[in-house]
Amino acid sequence: MERKLLMTIRGVTKQYPGTLALNNIDMDVYGGEVLGLIGENGAGKSTLMKIMIGAETATSGTLEMHGKPYAPHTPIEAMKLGVGMVFQEQSLIMNLTVAQNIYIGREEQYVKHALVDTRRMNEDAQKVLQGLEITNIKSGTRVNRLDFADRQMVEIAKVFDSVGASEGEGSIILLDEPTSVLSEKEIQQLFRHVRRLCTRGNAVIFVSHKLDEVMEIADRICVFKDGCKVDEMPNENLDEGILYEKMVGKTASGEYYHVARQRVPEQDVVLELRKLCKRGYFADVDLQLHKGEILGICGVVGSGKEDLCAVICGDEDPTGGEILVRGQSQRFASPSQARKAASILSVPRERRVEGIIGELSAYENICMSNFDGVRQNGVISDKLAKVQAEKYVQELSIKLPSVNQRVGRLSGGNAQKVVFARILASGCDILILDHPTRGVDVGAKTEIYSIIRDIADQGKSLIVLGDTLDETIGLSNRVAVMKDGEITKMFDAPPDGKPEQVDIVKYMM
Amino acid sequence: MESVKNIRNKASMDRETLTKIFSLISTIVISVVFCAMNPSFLGTKNITNLLRDMSPVLVMACGEAYVLMLGSIDLSTGTVASCAAVMMTVLLQSVGAWAYPIVILYGVFAGTMNGVLHTKLGVPSFIATLSTQAIWQSAAYLLSGGQPLSLLPAAWPLVNWAKVNVLDCIPLLFLAALVVLLIYSFVSRYTGIGRTVKSVGSNERATWLMGQNVHGAKILAFMFSGLGAAIGGIFFAVKAKSGIPTVGVQYNMLGIAAAVLGGVQMTGGKGSIFMTLLGALLITIIQNGMNVVGVDGLWQQIIFGALLLAAIFMNSDKDHKGLIVK
């Protein structure tokens, strides 16, 4: 089959002061293919995508689309030319309906007598959704009523439809980490849509940290490292090891999760849940967490694992049952009480909105969960806070110009390490890690796994909701599987006998 | 070629510095202008006057700054101050010096009530304080019988301290206001709950999950605002030896303006309590100076409003993120 060339990128370079984000990139995008882009954070793939959708301009180099020079100045212009992007952080407007979001900025087509014909718009939006086999979402629903995964599907539908408007010529759709919040089933659904789009002569560029997904969907894979395209290969006879090696320039050891450092937990039970319930989310959860143990919880989105963790860390209230901390029954009305009374603290899932205070500096963030640690003569001392921060910056090798750096400006991996520094500084010994490596590049991931092992070595206990099943199994001493709000199975996961993914998935579905 | 992002960063940094020095520069420029127009503006006598006039603005502004730091707003400080002034006048005549602690407690109560309404009942601060603002206005009228009250000469010894000047030019009243400012500033910078106020303004959800007492911090901020307003009311009463039931009304907005001019952002999370000093100074200089150089009273508010707009423009969030006042 002859492939039609959609876009050519020649010699694109992007120079930021101090860093060369992209160095002389050549790349072709063909109609009908899925092009996988992989690379660590900061490897340049986001910058390239921003240039492709007109959010940034290249310092030098040229882009051509359908043989014509292509230099959009805004994402809207790019969309009109047939290039659209599904953002990692969602860009939907929460208090508008699904249909309004899909047609945002394009309402003119529905204007009748100066008013928007909502009914026709809803009908068309429903057709768009149906075209993507999304049947569980009504186009008239307000977006804030949908759960996270559904919102992602709306986001995808919106971009698919926006660039589809110029269909026939072949459009390009960029997917940036589209699967991070989707369940396995939804991922498969997404992949089906992606393939169908490609058969119509469109191209999809798929960016993900999850190498297995990229290998599953991509026809061709480009590897980025330090602003350069280090390799480009058809997706044949590849395995994760090869890709990993090209991405980080070293071989991926089997020691990815530092399994050898897994320790046998002590006998003392630090946290026990007895028949814990939250109506509508989970019921009758019995669980024991030992000193120095890493307990993984698996389950699909909606299995209740997130809600269980929210209840344990005091963010939400249970409707029944008991939480025993070191043998004593406790109830917390807020994370503040959980931290002070039971020494429980969480690493939240949505780092930017829940884990850090972007406006504040790194040192201020690090002391936020324990002001007592930085007091001098009873008052908070910035000097001590900075000394403390310097210590953690060294220990966790956080890359920042100074501890005065605003955390909002740090990359995902470094911001997450600041969160871990704060958790360590808090002195809490029961830690809930909700997706601790979400949006973190491969290099920083192993470092975070190592930090997690260190924490367990200190005799602290952790509950981990992994970003992937593999991660949860790799890290944990035991793995609890949740389904429909109940714990369906508990697996032991000693270093020499990790349970198989397939066995666990059986209890999840 | 420089990246767009970095140019933006630089611009925003420049703007931050600009905002910080804006009040200082404008204070100096305006002082020089007023002084050129009438040299007695910088005379000892006028400076004493100026500092005395500034005292109630300052205490009310640094309380308000706490609430603004949260990203909330307190619309009740003006009438709390009025009510406090009336209470002060009444109580000085009946219970003597006990009036001071009682009115201070009243301020704590009024502020805490706002805080509780906002946090526990989930009423937006704008609405909660708008309601209590009306309540305290009525209370002030009822207490005073709807008229300005004069303090009887028998109670004058209790308020004469307000006339004392240290070193012949610094009013004791101003020093009292400065002490309040320093305490407020200290709490904001050196205590956990004070820091929590600021971080709630930046990111309430994260602060909550970090295990900080978000509700406590909010209630504290409103309490400080009420307390500052009541102290402002005391100042009005002892300065003028009278309790006027509308005395504080325009000071509500002046307090907000002073805090914003001092660099506190209305969206919360930014600024410092101490810099409120500069904001209050600037506002008082404009008001006082316009009188000294004889600006037509009918024009004063136009000039005042324009200057305020300029200051708030410098201070506004031009990244268009999180513009809504909670």
Side-chain angles (χ1 to χ4, degrees):
Chain A
M1 193 178 100
E2 200 204 336
R3 295 188 304 172
K4 188 180 162 205
L5 188 60
L6 288 186
M7 186 187 268
T8 50
I9 297 170
R10 287 290 172 265
V12 165
T13 298
K14 178 75 192 176
Q15 175 80 54
Y16 288 118
T19 48
L20 189 62
L22 282 179
N23 186 6
N24 205 13
I25 302 292
D26 292 334
M27 199 168 87
D28 295 322
V29 184
Y30 294 94
E33 76 167 353
V34 179
L35 178 60
L37 282 193
I38 58 172
E40 290 193 271
N41 278 355
K45 50 193 195 324
S46 314
T47 312
L48 182 63
M49 286 201 289
K50 279 184 192 150
I51 291 172
M52 287 174 77
I53 61 160
E56 296 262 11
T57 39
T59 312
S60 62
T62 54
L63 285 82
E64 280 183 13
M65 179 94 182
H66 302 306
K68 281 173 280 196
Y70 168 83
H73 295 289
T74 61
I76 292 175
E77 213 177 302
M79 226 169 226
K80 283 183 186 144
L81 295 168
V83 180
M85 174 159 169
V86 178
F87 290 91
Q88 187 176 355
E89 272 144 40
Q90 296 187 345
S91 60
L92 297 179
I93 297 170
M94 288 298 154
N95 54 353
L96 295 185
T97 65
V98 171
Q100 282 165 337
N101 266 293
I102 289 179
Y103 290 110
I104 196 153
R106 300 184 292 150
E107 294 93 345
E108 347 39 298
Q109 48 184 319
Y110 296 103
V111 173
K112 207 166 74 181
H113 313 306
L115 296 171
V116 174
D117 184 352
T118 311
R119 209 170 75 194
R120 202 155 59 83
M121 191 158 101
N122 281 351
E123 282 168 7
D124 281 5
Q126 200 69 53
K127 273 180 217 151
V128 172
L129 292 170
Q130 267 162 14
L132 289 169
E133 288 175 24
I134 303 167
T135 49
N136 61 331
I137 302 174
K138 291 261 174 302
S139 61
T141 323
R142 275 215 311 273
V143 170
N144 55 13
R145 295 237 176 130
L146 301 177
D147 64 29
F148 215 78
D150 282 347
R151 285 179 201 163
Q152 188 81 358
M153 299 310 287
V154 173
E155 178 99 30
I156 289 165
K158 173 182 154 186
V159 175
F160 278 14
D161 188 60
S162 308
V163 299
S166 65
E167 224 174 336
E169 283 212 277
S171 313
I172 299 178
I173 291 166
L174 293 85
L175 300 176
D176 186 14
E177 300 279 342
T179 59
S180 49
V181 294
L182 301 184
S183 67
E184 191 55 37
K185 196 177 134 211
E186 287 160 331
I187 290 172
Q188 289 309 325
Q189 209 172 353
L190 174 70
F191 284 180
R192 274 207 304 282
H193 305 322
V194 167
R195 291 206 187 87
R196 186 137 31 86
L197 267 164
C198 288
T199 56
R200 292 188 209 154
N202 299 304
V204 173
I205 298 181
F206 189 91
V207 178
S208 179
H209 287 305
K210 298 180 185 165
L211 299 182
D212 53 337
E213 283 174 6
V214 177
M215 279 161 45
E216 184 180 342
I217 186 78
D219 301 307
R220 203 152 54 93
I221 296 179
C222 287
V223 186
F224 281 73
K225 181 175 185 302
D226 300 332
C228 299
K229 194 176 80 173
V230 289
D231 208 346
E232 178 182 324
M233 57 215 148
N235 186 5
E236 285 158 12
N237 308 321
L238 292 176
D239 67 44
E240 283 192 39
I242 298 176
L243 292 178
Y244 184 85
E245 199 183 318
K246 291 194 191 299
M247 270 166 69
V248 297
K250 58 188 176 202
T251 31
S253 60
E255 273 312 285
Y256 197 45
Y257 301 110
H258 308 280
V259 174
R261 291 186 54 198
Q262 186 165 326
R263 61 206 291 284
V264 180
E266 292 165 37
Q267 283 304 306
D268 323 8
V269 174
V270 289
L271 178 76
E272 184 175 359
L273 311 179
R274 282 190 193 154
K275 299 242 170 287
L276 197 66
C277 297
K278 182 172 169 64
R279 200 167 299 129
Y281 296 95
F282 58 85
D284 292 340
V285 171
D286 292 304
L287 209 59
Q288 286 190 334
L289 181 66
H290 299 91
K291 188 161 187 256
E293 183 179 40
I294 303 176
L295 174 69
I297 303 181
C298 303
V300 295
V301 175
S303 62
K305 56 174 181 168
E306 276 98 357
D307 308 279
L308 178 64
C309 289
V311 167
I312 298 173
C313 75
D315 185 25
E316 284 171 26
D317 296 327
T319 52
E322 245 188 320
I323 302 176
L324 287 92
V325 181
R326 292 172 205 87
Q328 280 186 325
S329 180
Q330 299 241 12
R331 279 230 150 174
F332 340 104
S334 68
S336 159
Q337 284 181 14
R339 174 173 71 83
K340 287 171 191 152
S343 198
I344 297 176
L345 198 62
S346 68
V347 171
R349 187 171 8 149
E350 301 294 329
R351 179 170 50 247
R352 299 260 161 220
V353 283
E354 298 182 323
I356 58 171
I357 295 173
E359 299 269 339
L360 295 184
S361 65
Y363 81 86
E364 284 169 302
N365 266 280
I366 290 172
C367 71
M368 270 302 292
S369 284
N370 185 9
F371 289 130
D372 293 336
V374 293
R375 274 187 219 274
Q376 195 171 34
N377 304 325
V379 301
I380 293 172
S381 150
D382 276 314
K383 219 165 91 194
L384 282 185
K386 282 181 193 174
V387 171
Q388 172 183 273
E390 300 279 5
K391 187 184 106 190
Y392 287 114
V393 165
Q394 287 245 307
E395 267 179 34
L396 310 184
S397 54
I398 307 174
K399 289 183 202 81
L400 34 73
S402 91
V403 292
N404 295 317
Q405 170 76 20
R406 277 203 217 156
V407 179
R409 300 235 171 102
L410 295 179
S411 73
N414 281 312
Q416 191 69 341
K417 284 190 199 165
V418 169
V419 175
F420 272 93
R422 171 169 64 77
I423 300 290
L424 288 169
S426 77
C428 287
D429 46 24
I430 300 175
L431 304 173
I432 318 288
L433 313 183
D434 190 352
H435 297 83
T437 59
R438 161 171 291 186
V440 169
D441 64 78
V442 182
K445 263 185 192 172
T446 50
E447 291 180 75
I448 286 176
Y449 297 142
S450 158
I451 296 168
I452 292 173
R453 293 286 179 215
D454 290 340
I455 294 173
D457 282 343
Q458 291 166 19
K460 297 179 176 179
S461 314
L462 302 105
I463 293 180
V464 176
L465 304 188
D467 215 23
T468 60
L469 199 50
D470 200 40
E471 176 179 299
T472 314
I473 299 168
L475 284 174
S476 306
N477 296 97
R478 284 187 302 150
V479 178
V481 186
M482 282 187 80
K483 183 192 167 189
D484 299 333
E486 282 173 11
I487 291 187
T488 45
K489 182 76 180 170
M490 182 70 87
F491 288 93
D492 272 323
D496 50 356
K498 293 279 179 192
E500 290 295 321
Q501 291 202 17
V502 281
D503 296 328
I504 289 182
V505 171
K506 257 186 262 166
Y507 291 95
M508 281 165 56
M509 301 294 177
Chain B
M1 197 164 85
E2 248 182 339
S3 78
V4 179
K5 198 174 171 190
N6 243 309
I7 292 169
R8 266 193 215 128
N9 285 355
K10 212 184 256 173
S12 83
M13 232 131 83
D14 282 349
R15 202 164 51 230
E16 266 166 42
T17 341
L18 267 177
T19 310
K20 267 185 198 151
I21 57 174
F22 175 80
S23 297
L24 194 62
I25 292 174
S26 26
T27 309
I28 294 165
V29 168
I30 290 171
S31 303
V32 168
V33 170
F34 283 143
C35 199
M37 292 170 83
N38 185 348
S40 67
F41 173 74
L42 280 182
T44 329
K45 207 164 178 193
N46 192 46
I47 287 186
T48 310
N49 258 335
L50 204 147
L51 293 180
R52 188 176 288 126
D53 286 349
M54 179 179 158
S55 310
V57 184
L58 181 58
V59 285
M60 289 174 74
C62 61
E64 187 76 51
Y66 259 89
V67 174
L68 294 180
M69 203 90 106
L70 283 177
S72 300
I73 197 162
D74 186 349
L75 297 176
S76 71
T77 54
T79 60
V80 168
S82 305
C83 195
V86 174
M87 273 174 86
M88 198 63 200
T89 318
V90 173
L91 288 172
L92 277 173
Q93 282 154 180
S94 53
V95 299
W98 281 103
Y100 289 102
I102 294 175
V103 173
I104 283 176
L105 277 180
Y106 155 72
V108 170
F109 168 77
T112 310
M113 187 165 108
N114 284 334
V116 170
L117 283 173
H118 175 48
T119 54
K120 304 291 177 193
L121 302 186
V123 185
S125 62
F126 189 96
I127 303 296
T129 58
L130 190 67
S131 316
T132 52
Q133 172 259 352
I135 292 172
W136 297 123
Q137 183 61 76
S138 254
Y141 279 130
L142 288 171
L143 258 176
S144 67
Q147 303 180 17
L149 297 179
S150 295
L151 194 63
L152 297 176
W156 284 12
L158 292 172
V159 300
N160 275 341
W161 63 273
K163 282 221 169 336
V164 176
N165 293 336
V166 179
L167 302 174
D168 276 343
C169 66
I170 303 167
L172 199 54
L173 206 60
F174 177 70
L175 292 180
L178 217 50
V179 169
V180 174
L181 174 76
L182 289 176
I183 294 173
Y184 275 31
S185 178
F186 176 86
V187 171
S188 165
R189 291 180 65 169
Y190 295 110
T191 69
I193 197 154
R195 295 220 168 189
T196 308
V197 168
K198 201 168 172 179
S199 67
V200 166
S202 289
N203 187 339
E204 181 173 345
R205 173 80 184 145
T207 310
W208 164 261
L209 285 175
M210 284 174 178
Q212 288 303 339
N213 188 348
V214 170
H215 283 185
K218 285 184 165 183
I219 291 174
L220 175 98
F222 279 96
M223 190 199 85
F224 270 14
S225 183
L227 177 61
I231 295 174
I234 293 177
F235 286 2
F236 289 131
V238 299
K239 228 167 51 145
K241 297 196 179 70
S242 65
I244 304 166
T246 54
V247 66
V249 173
Q250 64 152 333
Y251 282 85
N252 201 148
M253 289 304 152
L254 288 184
I256 294 174
V260 173
L261 281 170
V264 176
Q265 240 175 35
M266 294 190 77
T267 42
K270 274 190 191 158
S272 86
I273 303 289
F274 188 76
M275 291 295 280
T276 308
L277 180 63
L278 217 49
L281 184 66
L282 181 57
I283 280 188
T284 320
I285 283 181
I286 297 171
Q287 286 201 316
N288 171 292
M290 285 194 293
N291 286 329
V292 171
V293 302
V295 175
D296 184 350
L298 303 175
W299 277 91
Q300 282 192 3
Q301 293 297 318
I302 292 179
I303 294 167
F304 185 72
L307 283 167
L308 204 56
L309 266 179
I312 291 176
F313 171 74
M314 307 281 293
N315 211 349
S316 65
D317 180 356
K318 287 175 199 68
D319 296 337
H320 305 289
K321 282 178 196 157
L323 281 169
I324 297 155
V325 176
K326 277 176 255 177

